[in-house]
Amino acid sequence: MPTGFTRVFSSPYLDAEKKAGCGVLEGVFVGRAKELQRLRDLVVAVADGVGASVLIEGESGIGKSALLAQGLAEAERLGCALRWSAAEEWGHRFPLQVLIECLGFDARVPDPSLAEGADPVLAAMERALALVDHLCSDSPLVLVIDDLQWADDASMLVWERLSRVIDQLPLLLVGACRPTPRPDSLVRLRRDIEAGRGTVLDLGPLDSEQAADLITGLLGRPPGPDLHELAAQAGGNPLYLTELADALLRDGPCAGGRAPESLAAAIADRLGFLSTETGQMLRLAALLGREFAVADLSIVANRAPSELIAVMDEAVAARVVVPAGARYAFRHPVIRQALYEATPTGMRVALHGQIARALADSGASVDRVAEQMLPAAETADEWMFDWLVEAAPVLIHLAPEIAMQLFDAVAGSHIGTDEGRDVLASWLTIGLLRAGRNEESEALARQVLGRTKDGDQIGVMTWALGGALLRSGRADEAIKALRETLASEALPHRWWARLTALLAQCHMVRGEAEVARAAADEVLDAAEQDDLAAAYALHTVAAERASHLDVSGFVENLERGLALLRDDNPEHTDLRLLMLSHRIHALDAGDLFAAAEDTIRQARNLVDRVGRVRFAQVTVSIATHYFTCGQWDDALAELEATDDLEPGDPSFLVHHGLKALMAAHRNDRPAATLHLDTVYENDALTPANSWTLWNSAYVILARAVVAEQAHQPHAAVAELTATLGANFIRGNGRSLCLPALVRAALAVGDTATAGDAAAMCLADAQAAPFPAMQAGADQCRGLLERDPAALVAAADYYRCVQRPLELAQTLEELAVLLGEGGDLGRARPVFIEAIDTYAALGAEWDIRRVDARTRPLGMRRHRPRVAGRPTSGWGSLSPTELKTAELVAKGLSNPDIAAELFLSRRTVQTHVSHILAKLDARSRSEIAREAADHAPEDLGSAT
């Protein structure tokens, strides 16, 4: 039976408690041999650079923390940094609370001035993830969170995301939890761990032999028959066995001593030995949480810290609490719970309110005050009301769930003023809207609008109401609500301008471009201008110009709007990122790729600073840029960073359409079909308006390629014909589809459809001054009229601006046309260039198609296969992956690599994962060793 020092009770503060000394009950560890060895093996592996994730499950007191203490004892000696914390039942309402304690980073949220703009919780999550990256670049890292079932959602989301990148970091994630409760986030984590490189250790009760060994070790002698019977009642739970032994030792010899009848009785027996003063202080401490500072206890008890020295010494000696750095922690949640419940409910509520006020008066943070206030919310007084009104802007971001509970409880009471209640209701409405609870936000906004006379309040509530309705797909109702408020004479000018700008957006969503433009012009023509309102109006004007193919007007209004929006104003963040995303598309359409790269850097920097607001839309826009430029591996890496997109996200269609299209070109029909099925299963093409059709261009192209691969050419034509519809917005998407439609229609002899597509492509090119669209028109004309000169002109342009897919497709058609005309001398070099261009994209399906079309014409490749990149090994790395590998070899963390390469941290994670897979490596150190085995020029060629 393995033995050794550890504790059989639960506490995250191992070293502190060990130093405190807990008498005869220390020094016993039994059982868990298999689990212990697995944990030790994982520590050795992470010290060698190989990450992993482990989840330890078991009931309270079953020995999870004892196993952690024993299994992780060698981590620091092996060179690992060890960070440890425990979640609390009441702490799950505060975003990132347990991770903040575990990682020890300075701020939970950015400056409170961000309350009106960027989401500070998302920003803090990104800082936490980046911090882990940096810590892992310094040394292997072991992160431990006990009682994971109580962790807040934001901490769990960060933990989940970390568990998905353990293959590329020297990171060991260790979570311990009870079987119940089991929140959805914990279920997802367990599933991810079991599916990936993870381990789940399920701790059951000790068997009878192990229980007897534990009792023997604790008492110093074998248990007698009576004690054997009592031990059997413990159900193999080490905590109960320990408390049982301790009670017997305190009470005298085993033969005549009193034995507790249950775990609760054993805990009560331990607490009964405390002095009255210490018991009272510990009951107050139990209200502060599982862990507490003496300074806080001093405040709520109205006692000087020096007066608490004897109290804390007694509590430590009785093994009720243990030192935890500068704080103290209850030795086990069960002990704290017993003390907490020893105070009657009514008294507890009053004490929580009293503690909240004492902490507020002492200048404590908003979250600490709110944590104490929540249990007392039903008995709120005037002080609590006034404090909430003042703290609302910060609290709604710091802890949105607890804020909404407090606002709801207090705003519905009869205390405070009507104006104050409306202020709380306003913040509650905003919180509900940001949480995606549109129906609740709408209902509350209507309530406030029905009673308030304050102009600013009316403006805020109508803005929230219009946003909720618009997000719910009810633009008609949003327009009605906005017009009703805009008719009010009490509305301040700032809110008139913003609501009118929102009205313009609603009309644009309905496809009423002219009405939208008129509303936007009203805002822009006003004598006084609100920058945000004017920028929203300019955004609408830009969209209206795009619908008329006025490219210069589109770009000009985007630039005017961006000039009004400042990076340092959080209220401007969302719209600024939206407009930067649109600017990327506009510059790409004009083949101004260098300028697009500069805009990408601006957007990335802003996203990183403000917590991933509009992250998906910006990232998908960057992916389309890389797709257009032929950097398909980079495009896929960007898209993989947004794999968690929801169907309702406006980028969902483009994300899956692009992935499907690249997979189809690369002859991966199963992957292409999977992404297309995802689109249709989620009904993502509804509603079928012009904007949905615009976003569906890549889906249409992918479906056409898949149909062609299935030898269904007529189905391919049918798919592409959708782009001829009047509602399909002209632009880069359709300019890709129309030449494909001409080729597909000619292949089945449908010259009428081919002619319609060519005519529409020419009309689009004449309406929009985009050279790429003119090249597309030349490509269509060359196909339809069998004119080599037109195809040469198109190919020359595509080659000049570096649009490789369009270039390869044009060269393919030119080679076939020349070959069919018998001019093999001119056809062969064109044929080879087409093949090589497709090969650089990895477009295996297109290479096969070119071969099939040109072989009967007498054109064959001299090589049996195109010398493209291999699928594994150093030579399989893309240029960006080579650059990333070089920086990994230099010891840079993912955030540092992201800054060096102007990528997002998540995109770098994707690249590192690809590198590990291609090299069949298990850690970053193996990447470094592989890099060292290659000549410097192999790395330099990537730059």
Side-chain angles (χ1 to χ4, degrees):
M1 198 74 62
T3 62
F5 174 82
T6 191
R7 294 149 307 134
V8 293
F9 46 82
S10 177
S11 169
Y13 308 101
L14 305 177
D15 291 340
E17 188 177 5
K18 181 178 177 182
K19 292 174 184 175
C22 297
V24 68
L25 293 186
E26 295 289 1
V28 180
F29 183 83
V30 299
R32 317 300 190 201
K34 180 181 178 181
E35 295 88 349
L36 182 61
Q37 188 58 51
R38 178 58 180 154
L39 201 51
R40 286 173 171 168
D41 289 345
L42 291 174
V43 171
V44 172
V46 77
D48 195 36
V50 180
S53 181
V54 61
L55 184 66
I56 302 173
E57 291 188 335
E59 66 182 43
S60 178
I62 204 65
K64 299 185 293 295
S65 294
L67 177 63
L68 290 175
Q70 198 73 348
L72 303 179
E74 293 294 297
E76 292 178 308
R77 187 187 67 77
L78 292 172
C80 300
L82 182 61
R83 302 292 180 97
W84 199 316
S85 187
E88 292 192 62
E89 182 175 359
W90 292 273
H92 70 280
R93 302 184 183 99
F94 293 92
L96 292 177
Q97 178 162 309
V98 68
L99 265 182
I100 288 169
E101 294 170 354
C102 189
L103 293 172
F105 63 103
D106 293 337
R108 185 190 303 266
V109 293
D111 188 273
S113 65
L114 291 178
E116 289 291 330
D119 190 327
V121 175
L122 291 177
M125 289 170 62
E126 290 303 312
R127 292 203 308 279
L129 289 162
L131 176 58
V132 171
D133 271 312
H134 284 301
L135 290 172
C136 287
S137 69
D138 294 334
S139 67
L141 176 64
V142 180
L143 287 184
V144 186
I145 293 184
D146 206 350
D147 282 328
L148 203 58
Q149 74 279 354
W150 300 129
D152 60 273
D153 289 342
S155 291
M156 285 300 297
L157 183 56
V158 172
W159 197 263
E160 286 180 53
R161 285 171 59 179
L162 287 174
S163 72
R164 294 170 187 169
V165 295
I166 53 171
D167 61 338
Q168 59 180 264
L169 296 173
L171 172 65
L172 176 58
L173 294 173
V174 185
C177 66
R178 303 178 194 175
T180 58
R182 181 165 291 196
D184 291 343
S185 57
L186 192 55
V187 173
R188 288 195 305 272
L189 177 63
R190 194 184 203 280
R191 184 172 60 243
D192 288 348
I193 289 174
E194 290 177 324
R197 187 194 294 173
T199 301
V200 176
L201 301 178
D202 190 358
L203 300 188
L206 299 178
D207 61 31
S208 58
E209 183 181 353
Q210 292 169 335
D213 285 344
L214 179 58
I215 290 289
T216 299
L218 294 171
L219 295 180
R221 57 182 179 275
D226 292 342
L227 190 52
H228 258 303
E229 184 178 346
L230 285 171
Q233 296 175 18
N237 186 297
L239 174 63
Y240 181 23
L241 290 167
T242 303
E243 292 296 332
L244 173 66
D246 197 21
L248 290 169
L249 284 172
R250 289 195 305 267
D251 237 23
C254 184
R258 172 179 56 84
E261 296 179 357
S262 66
L263 178 57
I267 297 295
D269 181 77
R270 174 183 298 281
L271 298 177
F273 280 82
L274 297 171
S275 68
T276 301
E277 181 184 22
T278 299
Q280 290 174 345
M281 289 299 104
L282 289 178
R283 278 194 288 274
L284 278 178
L287 296 171
L288 292 172
R290 179 172 176 175
E291 182 184 337
F292 60 93
V294 172
D296 288 346
L297 183 58
S298 171
I299 291 169
V300 302
N302 197 24
R303 300 276 296 275
S306 59
E307 296 179 47
L308 299 177
I309 294 176
V311 167
M312 298 315 299
D313 285 347
E314 180 184 354
V316 170
R319 299 176 62 244
V320 174
V321 299
V322 294
R327 300 164 69 84
Y328 287 88
F330 286 98
R331 189 172 60 84
H332 194 278
V334 174
I335 295 176
R336 185 217 171 182
Q337 190 69 20
L339 284 162
Y340 188 81
E341 293 177 354
T343 304
T345 302
M347 180 63 71
R348 282 205 307 269
V349 170
L351 284 172
H352 275 299
Q354 180 182 321
I355 292 171
R357 186 160 190 171
L359 289 174
D361 290 344
S362 72
S365 62
V366 166
D367 60 308
R368 287 168 61 202
V369 176
E371 183 178 22
Q372 292 297 322
M373 191 177 288
L374 185 61
E378 297 300 327
T379 60
D381 56 16
E382 294 287 343
W383 172 84
M384 189 181 294
F385 181 91
D386 293 340
W387 183 89
L388 276 174
V389 171
E390 183 177 351
V394 175
L395 188 60
I396 193 65
H397 277 302
L398 188 64
E401 287 300 323
I402 196 171
M404 288 191 284
Q405 290 181 56
L406 285 170
F407 296 164
D408 191 34
V410 176
S413 69
H414 296 292
I415 59 174
T417 62
D418 291 341
E419 292 78 6
R421 281 192 291 275
D422 282 348
V423 168
L424 293 180
S426 297
W427 285 111
L428 177 56
T429 303
I430 292 169
L432 292 167
L433 184 64
R434 290 172 179 168
R437 293 157 64 176
N438 295 324
E439 290 185 8
E440 296 170 78
S441 180
E442 175 195 346
L444 190 54
R446 290 190 188 279
Q447 286 180 27
V448 177
L449 285 170
R451 64 174 180 261
T452 186
K453 302 299 181 185
D454 181 81
D456 283 311
Q457 194 75 21
I458 291 171
V460 172
M461 288 294 93
T462 306
W463 180 266
L465 176 60
L469 292 170
L470 193 57
R471 291 183 184 186
S472 301
R474 296 150 64 193
D476 290 349
E477 294 180 53
I479 290 171
K480 180 182 178 183
L482 289 167
R483 289 199 178 279
E484 287 176 358
T485 295
L486 287 167
S488 170
E489 295 181 359
L491 194 66
H493 176 78
R494 176 172 71 111
W495 283 111
W496 169 86
R498 293 187 181 188
L499 296 179
T500 303
L502 181 57
L503 178 68
Q505 281 198 315
C506 291
H507 282 296
M508 201 68 206
V509 167
R510 290 179 59 184
E512 300 166 351
E514 302 307 321
V515 180
R517 174 63 187 268
D521 285 342
E522 277 191 74
V523 177
L524 297 173
D525 292 342
E528 298 177 43
Q529 282 201 357
D530 173 82
D531 283 350
L532 184 61
Y536 268 112
L538 288 166
H539 178 257
T540 298
V541 173
E544 183 267 339
R545 289 292 82 205
S547 71
H548 291 287
L549 283 185
D550 178 2
V551 179
S552 61
F554 172 69
V555 174
E556 176 190 349
N557 285 284
L558 276 183
E559 297 301 332
R560 287 177 60 195
L562 284 166
L564 295 173
L565 299 171
R566 301 192 304 275
D567 276 1
D568 61 352
N569 187 333
E571 201 174 21
H572 294 179
T573 298
D574 184 75
L575 182 58
R576 181 166 180 78
L577 282 170
L578 179 62
M579 297 180 86
L580 285 172
S581 178
H582 290 166
R583 185 205 267 172
I584 293 170
H585 289 300
L587 293 171
D588 280 347
D591 298 317
L592 302 173
F593 297 137
E597 290 280 356
D598 182 63
T599 301
I600 286 170
R601 293 189 185 98
Q602 293 180 49
R604 282 199 199 279
N605 289 337
L606 186 54
V607 165
D608 288 343
R609 279 180 31 225
V610 302
R612 308 178 70 78
V613 174
R614 293 247 178 219
F615 171 79
Q617 183 158 4
V618 169
T619 302
V620 171
S621 296
I622 294 170
T624 62
H625 165 79
Y626 286 142
F627 172 79
T628 302
C629 297
Q631 299 169 238
W632 286 11
D633 291 327
D634 291 338
L636 286 169
E638 295 292 341
L639 293 172
E640 286 183 34
T642 59
D643 274 344
D644 53 357
L645 272 176
E646 295 294 331
D649 192 289
S651 301
F652 183 84
L653 267 176
V654 179
H655 172 98
H656 287 284
L658 262 180
K659 275 195 164 184
L661 182 57
M662 285 184 280
H665 278 295
R666 289 180 165 181
N667 207 36
D668 188 352
R669 282 180 62 191
T673 302
L674 175 65
H675 288 292
L676 292 173
D677 287 347
T678 300
V679 167
Y680 285 89
E681 286 169 2
N682 288 284
D683 204 21
L685 290 172
T686 303
N689 56 36
S690 57
W691 295 105
T692 302
L693 290 171
W694 163 262
N695 287 331
S696 68
Y698 297 112
V699 173
I700 291 170
L701 280 166
R703 284 179 62 87
V705 176
V706 169
E708 187 179 355
Q709 290 171 337
H711 307 291
Q712 298 174 346
H714 290 282
V717 173
E719 291 290 346
L720 293 164
T721 301
T723 59
L724 296 176
N727 288 332
F728 203 94
I729 296 178
R730 291 171 284 184
N732 195 46
R734 188 155 82 177
S735 67
L736 280 173
C737 293
L738 291 175
L741 176 56
V742 172
R743 181 182 64 80
L746 290 175
V748 297
D750 187 352
T751 56
T753 298
D756 290 343
M760 181 167 282
C761 197
L762 178 61
D764 287 355
Q766 291 172 340
F770 283 147
M773 293 177 69
Q774 181 58 57
D778 288 342
Q779 185 182 358
C780 289
R781 181 168 61 84
L783 286 167
L784 188 65
E785 300 177 4
R786 300 181 61 79
D787 181 359
L791 292 174
V792 168
D796 287 345
Y797 179 78
Y798 292 140
R799 188 183 297 107
C800 177
V801 299
Q802 297 182 0
R803 282 181 173 259
L805 179 60
E806 292 97 321
L807 171 62
Q809 290 171 335
T810 306
L811 291 171
E812 174 187 348
E813 300 303 330
L814 180 59
V816 171
L817 183 59
L818 292 172
E820 289 175 344
D823 193 350
L824 293 182
R826 289 178 62 196
R828 279 197 181 93
V830 175
F831 159 72
I832 293 299
E833 185 182 0
I835 291 287
D836 288 343
T837 306
Y838 278 134
L841 297 173
E844 183 181 341
W845 160 251
D846 300 88
I847 293 171
R848 293 184 180 187
R849 184 186 61 240
V850 175
D851 271 343
R853 296 179 70 192
T854 56
R855 189 176 296 111
L857 303 176
M859 283 180 277
R860 296 177 183 272
R861 283 177 285 150
H862 297 297
R863 298 168 303 221
R865 289 184 61 85
V866 176
R869 285 202 310 268
T871 58
S872 63
W874 189 259
S876 69
L877 301 185
S878 71
T880 303
E881 288 167 354
L882 282 170
K883 295 176 188 176
T884 303
E886 176 185 16
L887 297 174
V888 167
K890 290 180 179 179
L892 271 66
S893 67
N894 285 352
D896 292 334
I897 295 172
E900 183 81 14
L901 300 182
F902 299 104
L903 301 173
S904 74
R905 184 182 49 76
R906 288 184 71 176
T907 301
V908 172
Q909 286 180 346
T910 300
H911 284 310
V912 174
S913 290
H914 289 174
I915 294 167
L916 288 165
K918 290 178 178 180
L919 300 182
D920 194 24
R922 299 179 65 215
S923 67
R924 296 170 84 91
S925 58
E926 290 187 21
I927 294 176
R929 286 194 289 270
E930 184 78 17
D933 289 341
H934 290 81
E937 57 267 21
D938 290 344
L939 290 172
S941 66
T943 60

